Amino acid sequence: MRFKTKGLILREQNIGERDKLVWVLTDSHGILRAFVRGAKSIKSPKCAGTGLLSYSALTVFEGKDSYVIDEAFAEEQFIGLHKDVVNMSLGQYFCELCLNLCPKGQEASEQLRLALNSLYMLSNNKRPAVQIKVCFEMRLISMTGYMPDLVMCSDCGVYESPEMVFVPQTGRLYCSDCAERHGVQGVRLPIASVTALRHTVYADSDKLFSFELRDELWERLSAASESYVSYMTQRDYPTLQFYKSLNV
Ligand SMILES: [Zn+2]
C-alpha cells in the first residue's frame, strides 16, 4: 500500500554505499522509520528530500513490516541551520526530543507544526536561540502528556507573588511564602519569568514566540525547562550536552 504524507527528517543512518534508514516526523503517522533506496545519489531528489532536517513531501510504501520512501521532494531545508553549528546542534536536540516524545503510528500534526515553527525561528534568527529552546521544550513536553501546573501556588492557591519557585521534579509552582514555609527546593523565578513560563505552556500556538523577556531571564528559564524535560522523561539528551558544550 502506498500513501502520501509530509514529514520532517529527524535522524538518518547510512546502510551500505547507497541506501539509508530515516526517522521522520509525519503529520499523518507520527514518527515513521523508513528505508530509502538510492538515497545517496546526488542527482536524485530523494537525496535532498531525505536529508537531516528536511521537510519533504513523501510517497511511502507500507510493506508487511517496514516502510520504504519511494519519492521525496524537499519543501524546506532550513538552510540557516546548516550554516551555523550552534543553531544546528540545537535543531538536532529538538529532533532528539521529538524522537523520544512524539507518538508512533498516529497523527502528530500539532507536534510537527511546533517543530517546523521552532526550526524556522532558529534558522532565520527570528528570536534569541535560548527563547526558542524554552518555548519548544515546554510546549512539546506539555503536548505529550507532561503539562506542568503553573496556574497558581500549589499550596495556597495565590496567582502570583514577586518571586515564585518552580520545581522541575514535579512541574509545580509555589509562592515564596509557601516555598519558604515548607522548605521547597526549586528554581527561583521573578514574576516576569513566571509569566513567560506560563505563556510557553498556555498561549495560543500562533503566539508562542511572541513573549518578550530579557535574555538572562530566558537563560534561567532554560535551565528550569531542560531540567523539567529531563525529570519527566527520565533521561539525559546527548545532543543537549553537545549544544551546551558549544555555548561555554
Ligand atoms: Zn503559596
Side-chain angles (χ1 to χ4, degrees), residues 152-158 164 173-179 181:
M152 57 181 97
C153 169
S154 280
D155 196 50
C156 72
V158 72
M164 298 186 89
L173 194 64
Y174 295 87
C175 72
S176 43
D177 289 348
C178 292
R181 197 163 54 242

Side-chain angles (χ1 to χ4, degrees), residues 75-233:
E75 295 195 353
E76 172 61 60
Q77 293 185 283
F78 303 107
I79 299 298
L81 296 182
H82 295 271
K83 293 177 184 161
D84 180 331
V85 66
V86 178
N87 283 351
M88 183 66 179
S89 70
L90 187 54
Q92 286 181 289
Y93 168 55
F94 291 176
C95 289
E96 195 181 8
L97 277 187
C98 285
L99 277 169
N100 192 36
L101 284 166
C102 293
K104 296 178 181 70
Q106 63 189 73
E107 72 91 31
S109 49
E110 247 191 300
Q111 291 91 335
L112 177 61
R113 194 174 330 121
L114 172 67
L116 294 174
N117 287 344
S118 302
L119 293 173
Y120 169 81
M121 288 282 173
L122 199 57
S123 180
N124 294 286
N125 293 307
K126 294 280 184 189
R127 294 285 184 279
V130 63
Q131 176 180 357
I132 300 168
K133 173 177 173 290
V134 176
C135 290
F136 180 79
E137 287 173 323
M138 292 308 293
R139 186 51 72 106
L140 185 71
I141 196 93
S142 297
M143 273 178 187
T144 47
Y146 303 99
M147 188 179 278
D149 183 2
L150 304 177
V151 176
M152 57 181 97
C153 169
S154 280
D155 196 50
C156 72
V158 72
Y159 181 66
E160 54 183 42
S161 65
E163 187 179 75
M164 298 186 89
V165 176
F166 174 68
V167 182
Q169 287 90 333
T170 61
R172 288 173 182 272
L173 194 64
Y174 295 87
C175 72
S176 43
D177 289 348
C178 292
E180 200 173 324
R181 197 163 54 242
H182 300 299
V184 172
Q185 302 290 319
V187 185
R188 307 181 80 84
L189 301 171
I191 191 62
S193 300
V194 173
T195 308
L197 195 61
R198 283 174 172 150
H199 182 91
T200 65
V201 174
Y202 303 124
D204 290 344
S205 55
D206 59 341
K207 306 236 167 52
L208 177 61
F209 297 100
S210 66
F211 199 93
E212 305 251 339
L213 193 70
R214 294 203 311 276
D215 277 9
E216 63 264 31
L217 294 180
W218 281 122
E219 292 291 348
R220 207 186 309 176
L221 280 180
S222 173
S225 66
E226 71 190 35
S227 171
Y228 180 60
V229 167
S230 177
Y231 276 114
M232 289 304 111
T233 59

